[in-house]
Amino acid sequence: PELFERFAQTSRGIYAVILQVTERIEPMSCDEMVIQVQYGLDADGTAARCSPVEVANVIRADVLEATGCLVSIGIGHSTVVARWATRRAKPPSGGGVCYIRR
């Protein structure tokens, strides 16, 4: 029970970080999701053009700060490609981001 609660708390922390970036979240499981991000945000909350890798690195840093967890992020033009990229981004300690371009 205690381990499950810690896992659930961490999952909520990850989702909280993602909700600061986008509300377009498709949960795949308690520790995996697909999100749609078309822009990044400046510190003042205004829209700014950022590369997908820059957005991913900000998300990774924010999740690490909020939860202490390293995450892997896959970037692609479709859900299938993004999930494949996520597999290639593992382990998270080895860079943690994979971007598969069209």
Side-chain angles (χ1 to χ4, degrees):
E2 183 179 315
L3 183 59
F4 177 80
E5 181 51 39
R6 283 188 14 209
F7 188 75
Q9 181 179 6
T10 300
S11 179
R12 287 189 299 270
I14 292 169
Y15 274 84
V17 168
I18 299 303
L19 284 168
Q20 293 175 10
V21 177
T22 184
E23 292 180 355
R24 296 178 175 192
I25 299 173
E26 181 182 343
M28 305 305 274
S29 69
C30 58
D31 66 344
E32 183 179 0
M33 69 189 78
V34 174
I35 67 171
Q36 183 178 357
V37 178
Q38 295 179 346
Y39 57 87
L41 296 178
D42 284 334
D44 63 1
T46 59
R49 284 281 176 204
C50 297
S51 77
V53 172
E54 289 172 323
V55 173
N57 284 325
V58 168
I59 290 170
R60 290 186 77 227
D62 290 351
V63 167
L64 180 61
E65 183 179 326
T67 68
C69 291
L70 293 171
V71 296
S72 300
I73 298 177
I75 305 164
H77 63 277
S78 70
T79 298
V80 171
V81 173
R83 290 185 79 186
W84 183 46
T86 300
R87 287 188 199 102
R88 292 184 58 193
K90 296 178 189 270
S93 61
V97 176
C98 178
Y99 182 15
I100 298 177
R101 293 166 179 82
R102 284 186 188 214

